Amino acid sequence: MVLKLAYWMYEGTALSGIARVTGSMKKIHTVIHGPQGDSYINVMFSMLERFHELPPFTLSAIGRREMAKGSRARLVETVLRVDEEQKPDVIVITPTCSSTLLQEDLDAVAHTLQARTNATLIVPKVNAFRDLEHYAMDQFLTQMVATFAEEQSKSERFSVNIIGPSYLGFHQIHDLEEIKKTLQDLGIEINLVVPYGASVEALRNITKAHLNISLYQEYGKSVCDYLKERFGMDYLSITPLGIRQTGRFLEEIGEKAGIDVHAYIRRNLSPASLISRCVNSVDALSSLYGKRAVVFGDYSHAVGVTYLLREIGIQVEWAGTYMKAMESSFKQELQGQAKEVFVCDDFQKISNKIKETQPDIVFGTQMERHSSARHDFPCVVISSPAHILNFPLHASPILGYSGITRILDNINGTIKLGLEEHLVNMFGEDSQEEEVQIAIAEVAASTEKKELSAGASEEIKWTPDALNTLKQIPFFVRGKVQRNTETYAREKGHKEITLEVIYAAKAHFEK
Amino acid sequence: MDGIQRENGCLNTFCPIASVAWLHRKMKDSFFLIVGTHTCAHFIQTALDVMVYAHSRFGFAVLEESDLVAPSMTGELSSVIDEVVAEWNPKVIFVMTTCSVDILKMDLEVSCKEISKKLNFPVLLTSASGIDGIFTQGEDKVLKALLPFCPTVEEEEKEQSEERKSKWFFFNKEEEKPVEKPKVSNLVLVGAVTDGTAQQLQWELKKLGLDKVDVFPEGDLAKMPVINERTVVAPLQPYLNDTLATIRRERGATVLTTLFPIGPDGTAQFLKDICQHFQIDASRVEEREKQTWQELEPQLQMLRGKKIMFLGDNLLELPLARFLTACGVEIVELGTPYVHSKDMKAELETLLAKQVPIIEGPDFHLQLKRIQAYKPDLIVTGLALCNPLEAMGYRTAWSIEFTFAQIHGFVNAIDLIKMFTKPLRKWQALQEHGWN
């Protein structure tokens, strides 16, 4: 074993990858074979995706007793109960990082149990200890498709399968809506989306489509390769992010479907279009053109956003991805697009690199948002790792033409706009933060003053204990607490504020 | 103990590494190094939402596969710790081991001692394995690791004896006068509560005549209180069983059997039992309790007669349910991961006297059926279950909020009770706008 220091992780675990696949599908229940804490997967679904139903994951816990006497009995009991109560089509039995270390043969358990369950039992063929989220998704999606896909006659009209969208991805459900709308506008049917919303029954019919479209580069391509090899299905693997890639995406689909997509592209990029009016606006001359940006994220978003930034006149100082396994294709893809192209999964290093580069704007993950805030750089979040803020309620795709408008809006909301920048450069800042700083300074000063003027006659005195308590209160409510307590003390005729007065004032105001 | 049912569950809870969320804020100049897998880091990052502290004094030593299984982890651990020291310059490092370390049967004790010696500051080993613990129990392990920093002798006594040893030739005359210090017992409140909470309890006790009340742990290693055979320990949190057992065994201190100072009823009993032990007048306590209940009255009106169910999560369930019964709430089921009959004795007696159904390690799937039968007005449970239960038409309170809020003592009682009434008020408010 080798130890490696990490503060934050860019990619999730194999378990989270498998859960994203199974949790996105219909009538599939996952039995997680691991210690207590591994049921955190449920929290991700119920909190980030705001699940209104119980997330389809059940833990078969490995506790002290299972460590001593073996975990098989508990696993069997859990699987049988899930089968009986949930009646799923498939039960996926998955190990976790730590249970992988037990080196149990889950395949053998599933094999003997299969005779006793209605559901099909599947054990993911991944190494839950070693593999990471996207690789596990890629492998497991392929395994699921390979298990259920059957030879079917093609649909009458040209139809496609969309491969990629899943829960807990970065705006992926929003992307799906955008792609659906685009395909509908072009008159192309969707046969199936995988894994989001797919059932086992639907997987059986996956071969009805004429074309597979893999939306993201991190996973999904293996499914396409499998379907091409086994069933001769054609596929394309382009992430439609930015003007050029969206155009390429549409053109290739058009070519395969025998549809002319150029009118559609023109409509979205004509001088009358919103995108064009924004990018060509004279205001953008100073707000976008020549700005120095840095880009970091997963593969698809780092590549796509780098293209887009170049397309709207922003200079990309460097572009990086944490997808280490995709290093060579990343470098090849972005060669010449940014001054430096690299692969790195160390959060601290990226943070330092941002600081050294001093960019005008940062495009990164939620972690780069933090790093940027620390060094006071504006930041637009364009990739996982995500945060609850990346699960917005209103339509917010990253892909397609709507994705471009959304990113432009985000840039405008993040950096200083043209005229604004001129004014600030000429006359200096007059920001709210300054006011907040002043307010803090005032509270601090008056607190200090109280401390010094312990002998003054008119002011209400604070005893050292009480003053200490006041200082423990977070600064943003401290002023209010101070005022309330003093008002209360005056009303009650206290000459001195003691702990007793503070506590009584609290009770008084919070009743 | 009789009257407690047992099931084989309570699995929707966090593992003990989650306790870094509050412990790294409590312990000054510390660093928490979690030795575990990728999952540990991913869990803390995604489920606990501690990304608010993006640059925090905790990190992960992630186990990675290699062809060789090292005979000793000292070298590996040491180089990770060197990185931590370079970045943070901590005064103490807590090495928290996890399930994987447990499963691999790795023993890091010798390594930690060696590194500690090399760096000349404490590198403390604590187990945060989820194999046999839930998230609040991480605090128990850390407090236990901190116990050696509690002196057994008063500082003055020690100084005097040391002075005598080193400077005996200067202070010959004073040496002739034997210093007789009265051997008094000290009171130590045990639990990693906020400074504000500790101060409130110290203030209540001061009003009763106990001037010197210590708290364990202090945020500073150098300021840990004396714990010896004359010490009286009053536990503040219900999940500190290992720490308390060690205090009993190694220090011979008296651990009070009383209610936890949560809610006016619990706080009153807690203070009364301390007073009784120190033989001081406790008559003021009743007045404080009465006054606090009066302050809670508007909230109480909302709670009386309501049915509340605990699904079990953070081990605070017993004191919280006991407080609620005092508020006139009917506890339809008190699920809790684990019942320590010795350290929970007073709570258990109070609850069982009121026939509150207690279930240790409740099975959620059975609970789901019971929820439908009980139709509780409020369900207290973990983050994994709140939203789905809300969608089923139940009101919920996040149990983790009780871990992260200041709920001890008389002064905080109002905040505590509002954590139960707020979801009910929210529901009422939404209903008035047509939601149901």
Side-chain angles (χ1 to χ4, degrees):
Chain A
M1 289 287 161
V2 175
L3 290 178
K4 190 185 160 207
L5 180 66
Y7 290 94
W8 300 109
M9 294 291 171
Y10 281 110
E11 261 201 277
T13 53
L15 172 65
S16 63
I18 290 161
R20 278 180 63 188
V21 173
T22 58
S24 297
M25 294 179 70
K26 279 186 189 146
K27 294 199 77 181
I28 295 191
H29 200 98
T30 307
V31 170
I32 299 171
H33 178 61
Q36 183 116 267
D38 288 337
S39 62
Y40 78 99
I41 295 294
N42 279 304
V43 180
M44 290 168 63
F45 278 82
S46 72
M47 297 308 289
L48 291 173
E49 292 289 2
R50 303 180 182 90
F51 255 41
H52 68 289
E53 283 168 344
L54 290 167
F57 306 98
T58 299
L59 184 76
S60 172
I62 299 173
R64 198 46 78 194
R65 192 175 44 189
E66 285 74 22
M67 289 277 282
K69 293 182 179 167
S71 56
R72 192 188 169 107
R74 179 121 183 177
L75 183 59
V76 168
E77 184 200 317
T78 308
V79 170
L80 290 178
R81 184 157 83 173
V82 165
D83 187 51
E84 191 194 317
E85 287 186 0
Q86 311 290 327
K87 301 187 174 46
D89 292 337
V90 173
I91 297 174
V92 173
I93 304 172
T94 179
T96 69
C97 270
S98 33
S99 68
T100 300
L101 297 171
L102 288 170
Q103 298 183 320
E104 293 159 317
D105 190 352
L106 292 185
D107 278 314
V109 178
H111 189 76
T112 44
L113 251 181
Q114 184 64 81
R116 297 167 66 190
T117 60
N118 289 317
T120 307
L121 302 183
I122 292 180
V123 178
K125 289 185 177 45
V126 299
N127 180 326
F129 185 84
R130 190 201 311 130
D131 298 339
L132 294 180
E133 179 177 353
H134 293 113
Y135 179 78
M137 286 182 84
D138 196 51
Q139 295 300 300
F140 182 60
L141 258 181
T142 311
Q143 185 183 350
M144 289 296 281
V145 168
T147 308
F148 297 105
E150 289 169 8
E151 184 83 62
Q152 308 275 358
S153 51
K154 299 289 173 205
S155 64
E156 216 167 290
R157 289 183 56 196
F158 185 85
S159 68
V160 297
N161 295 319
I162 306 285
I163 296 172
S166 70
Y167 277 129
L168 297 173
F170 190 78
H171 294 241
Q172 286 186 347
I173 308 304
H174 297 280
D175 284 346
L176 175 62
E177 289 308 312
E178 169 66 10
I179 298 298
K180 273 185 181 171
K181 208 172 117 259
T182 302
L183 293 176
Q184 197 180 6
D185 287 352
L186 295 172
I188 292 169
E189 263 179 30
I190 295 176
N191 176 56
L192 176 63
V193 178
V194 185
Y196 182 76
S199 63
V200 164
E201 190 52 40
L203 284 185
R204 289 198 177 99
N205 291 319
I206 195 168
T207 54
K208 280 188 174 170
H210 296 77
L211 177 70
N212 288 316
I213 299 174
S214 175
L215 280 185
Y216 307 101
Q217 307 304 308
E218 290 77 15
Y219 63 91
K221 197 163 164 291
S222 297
V223 178
C224 295
D225 282 334
Y226 169 82
L227 290 170
K228 181 168 190 160
E229 200 176 302
R230 175 78 176 74
F231 299 101
M233 289 179 82
D234 201 1
Y235 75 87
L236 71 94
S237 174
I238 300 171
T239 304
L241 205 173
I243 294 164
R244 183 165 49 161
Q245 290 211 106
T246 303
R248 230 184 91 211
F249 177 83
L250 294 169
E251 277 169 2
E252 287 206 23
I253 291 177
E255 204 176 292
K256 312 260 187 205
I259 293 172
D260 186 6
V261 296
H262 292 98
Y264 180 83
I265 296 175
R266 267 200 302 280
R267 195 162 73 236
N268 278 285
L269 297 176
S270 76
S273 74
L274 284 175
I275 294 174
S276 176
R277 279 151 68 190
C278 171
V279 174
N280 294 310
S281 162
V282 72
D283 190 53
L285 189 62
S286 48
S287 65
L288 302 180
Y289 181 71
K291 281 272 155 71
R292 294 166 64 248
V294 298
V295 178
F296 190 80
D298 62 11
Y299 185 101
S300 304
H301 294 88
V303 167
V305 168
T306 301
Y307 281 134
L308 175 65
L309 294 178
R310 303 255 310 171
E311 286 155 357
I312 61 175
I314 292 181
Q315 194 178 316
V316 181
E317 292 294 308
W318 47 258
T321 182
Y322 52 79
M323 293 300 299
K324 280 185 123 171
M326 304 175 83
E327 179 164 4
S328 60
S329 77
F330 185 73
K331 285 184 170 167
Q332 206 179 332
E333 176 100 43
L334 286 183
Q335 199 183 18
Q337 298 292 319
K339 286 187 190 159
E340 189 192 348
V341 180
F342 64 91
V343 175
C344 172
D345 64 356
D346 184 331
F347 154 72
Q348 299 276 91
K349 278 190 187 148
I350 302 300
S351 179
N352 291 334
K353 201 170 170 64
I354 292 172
K355 197 175 146 198
E356 280 161 24
T357 310
Q358 298 275 317
D360 295 317
I361 184 165
V362 176
F363 293 83
T365 73
Q366 279 294 341
M367 290 187 228
E368 282 65 51
R369 189 175 68 89
H370 279 295
S371 300
S372 304
R374 259 179 93 203
H375 306 311
D376 210 16
F377 300 122
C379 178
V380 175
V381 177
I382 50 120
S383 162
S384 288
H387 183 262
I388 185 75
L389 294 175
N390 300 116
F391 297 87
L393 304 183
H394 61 280
S396 9
I398 308 290
L399 303 187
Y401 292 119
S402 297
I404 296 173
T405 60
R406 192 191 149 270
I407 294 175
L408 286 170
D409 275 344
N410 263 351
I411 296 174
N412 283 337
T414 309
I415 58 177
K416 289 191 184 70
L417 301 177
L419 201 52
E420 196 178 67
E421 191 173 24
H422 283 302
L423 286 171
V424 169
N425 285 345
M426 280 186 75
F427 304 111
E429 200 107 23
D430 179 22
S431 70
Q432 278 187 323
E433 289 109 75
E434 225 168 311
E435 284 163 34
V436 173
Q437 287 303 326
I438 291 166
I440 295 168
E442 275 173 3
V443 173
S446 73
T447 312
E448 292 295 312
K449 203 174 76 197
K450 298 269 150 53
E451 214 160 1
L452 295 171
S453 69
S457 53
E458 283 159 37
E459 289 260 6
I460 291 188
K461 280 184 275 180
W462 288 69
T463 63
D465 270 0
L467 204 56
N468 212 14
T469 304
L470 185 65
K471 280 181 184 165
Q472 283 167 12
I473 295 166
F475 74 87
F476 47 90
V477 286
R478 197 184 296 147
K480 185 182 159 202
V481 171
Q482 186 183 358
R483 276 193 303 279
N484 279 351
T485 311
E486 287 178 357
T487 310
Y488 175 84
R490 274 193 203 96
E491 273 172 20
K492 299 279 170 186
H494 296 296
K495 295 223 165 45
E496 191 179 53
I497 295 177
T498 57
L499 282 180
E500 192 156 13
V501 177
I502 294 190
Y503 297 153
K506 179 176 188 291
H508 176 77
F509 285 104
E510 287 190 10
K511 214 178 272 181
Chain B
M1 195 172 284
D2 281 339
I4 302 175
Q5 256 180 282
R6 276 173 196 85
E7 286 172 3
N8 193 12
C10 209
L11 308 175
N12 284 298
T13 179
F14 291 149
C15 88
I17 62 170
S19 61
V20 295
W22 65 93
L23 292 171
H24 88 281
R25 309 300 284 181
K26 173 76 191 174
M27 299 310 299
K28 310 278 179 281
D29 301 316
S30 66
F31 189 90
F32 285 78
L33 183 68
I34 297 161
V35 184
T37 61
H38 204 103
T39 304
C40 304
H42 193 240
F43 154 61
I44 291 286
Q45 184 165 340
T46 51
L48 212 56
D49 208 14
V50 284
M51 280 187 78
V52 277
Y53 306 127
H55 205 65
S56 287
R57 303 186 75 96
F58 62 82
F60 304 87
V62 181
L63 291 161
E64 296 197 331
E65 266 182 324
S66 91
D67 296 331
L68 290 169
V69 175
S72 155
M73 290 303 283
T74 308
E76 294 285 343
L77 190 60
S78 188
S79 57
V80 168
I81 286 179
D82 286 345
E83 281 183 65
V84 167
V85 172
E87 170 100 16
W88 298 96
N89 198 22
K91 287 185 184 154
V92 55
I93 292 178
F94 294 90
V95 173
M96 290 184 125
T97 61
T98 60
C99 305
S100 308
V101 174
D102 221 352
I103 289 169
L104 291 167
K105 298 188 169 59
M106 275 163 58
D107 189 356
L108 297 178
E109 201 174 340
V110 176
S111 303
C112 285
K113 279 184 180 152
E114 285 172 7
I115 297 166
S116 192
K117 212 170 159 187
K118 187 187 89 180
L119 295 174
N120 206 23
F121 69 75
V123 175
L124 306 176
L125 182 67
T126 61
S127 164
S129 167
I131 298 283
D132 52 3
I134 63 113
F135 73 104
T136 45
Q137 287 172 309
E139 179 177 322
D140 188 23
K141 308 292 181 192
V142 168
L143 262 51
K144 190 183 161 191
L146 282 171
L147 264 182
F149 295 89
C150 291
T152 49
V153 191
E154 286 283 353
E155 204 52 41
E156 298 147 46
E157 283 179 56
K158 205 166 74 186
E159 271 171 29
Q160 277 163 358
S161 64
E162 274 167 17
E163 268 178 25
R164 259 176 281 178
K165 263 186 257 163
S166 58
K167 301 180 180 174
W168 58 272
F169 44 92
F170 290 120
F171 293 99
N172 262 340
K173 279 184 184 170
E174 279 188 52
E175 187 66 9
E176 284 161 20
K177 286 186 255 170
V179 189
E180 262 310 317
K181 245 185 83 71
K183 303 249 172 188
V184 288
S185 54
N186 65 332
L187 174 66
V188 180
L189 310 180
V190 175
V193 293
T194 63
D195 293 348
T197 296
Q199 196 179 34
Q200 281 176 28
L201 292 169
Q202 283 168 320
W203 177 79
E204 300 283 358
L205 287 158
K206 193 176 175 181
K207 289 274 157 188
L208 293 165
L210 275 177
D211 272 340
K212 195 180 168 304
V213 178
D214 297 319
V215 180
F216 173 72
E218 285 288 344
D220 183 345
L221 278 194
K223 291 185 181 159
M224 294 295 174
V226 170
I227 299 182
N228 58 29
E229 67 281 359
R230 297 190 302 279
T231 301
V232 178
V233 164
L236 299 180
Q237 304 287 26
Y239 38 73
L240 303 175
N241 317 116
D242 264 10
T243 304
L244 295 178
T246 313
I247 287 175
R248 287 188 189 98
R249 193 176 59 239
E250 291 179 3
R251 302 295 174 106
T254 308
V255 178
L256 284 185
T257 302
T258 178
L259 296 181
F260 295 95
I262 292 171
D265 55 331
T267 305
Q269 193 59 49
F270 175 85
L271 295 173
K272 279 186 208 163
D273 285 337
I274 291 174
C275 287
Q276 199 193 9
H277 189 91
F278 286 90
Q279 294 174 330
I280 52 178
D281 177 28
S283 51
R284 188 181 174 275
V285 174
E286 267 166 42
E287 197 185 304
R288 278 289 281 152
E289 186 188 359
K290 210 174 119 195
Q291 180 198 345
T292 310
W293 281 120
Q294 273 166 8
E295 284 158 10
L296 303 189
E297 185 52 36
Q299 312 291 327
L300 286 167
Q301 284 172 13
M302 186 138 216
L303 283 181
R304 280 190 196 109
K306 291 284 190 301
K307 290 186 283 187
I308 297 185
M309 180 166 176
F310 285 84
L311 298 192
D313 185 36
N314 58 5
L315 290 172
L316 284 170
E317 291 85 6
L318 267 75
L320 291 178
R322 180 261 306 146
F323 161 62
L324 288 174
T325 57
C327 294
V329 166
E330 184 195 346
I331 302 294
V332 290
E333 173 170 328
L334 194 175
T336 187
Y338 168 67
V339 179
H340 193 283
S341 50
K342 184 171 184 179
D343 292 341
M344 299 278 206
K345 191 163 175 265
E347 297 286 354
L348 281 171
E349 282 169 0
T350 315
L351 287 161
L352 293 173
K354 293 183 179 175
Q355 275 102 44
V356 172
I358 301 176
I359 301 185
E360 183 182 19
D363 183 327
F364 176 65
H365 289 271
L366 301 176
Q367 277 181 322
L368 255 185
K369 287 167 195 155
R370 295 196 291 263
I371 287 172
Q372 282 152 22
Y374 294 140
K375 294 188 176 51
D377 297 291
L378 184 72
I379 300 172
V380 185
T381 184
L383 290 177
L385 304 173
C386 284
N387 280 349
L389 288 170
E390 289 279 344
M392 286 178 208
Y394 298 99
R395 312 282 68 80
T396 62
W398 300 3
S399 45
I400 199 161
E401 251 194 323
F402 296 93
T403 307
F404 288 168
Q406 308 190 62
I407 57 171
H408 292 75
F410 288 129
V411 179
N412 288 330
I414 183 79
D415 303 303
L416 172 62
I417 198 167
K418 279 181 178 175
M419 290 164 77
F420 294 104
T421 54
K422 198 175 171 187
L424 302 176
R425 281 183 203 283
K426 176 191 166 197
W427 182 56
Q428 246 179 19
L430 291 183
Q431 269 200 323
E432 282 163 20
H433 291 276
W435 294 89
N436 42 44

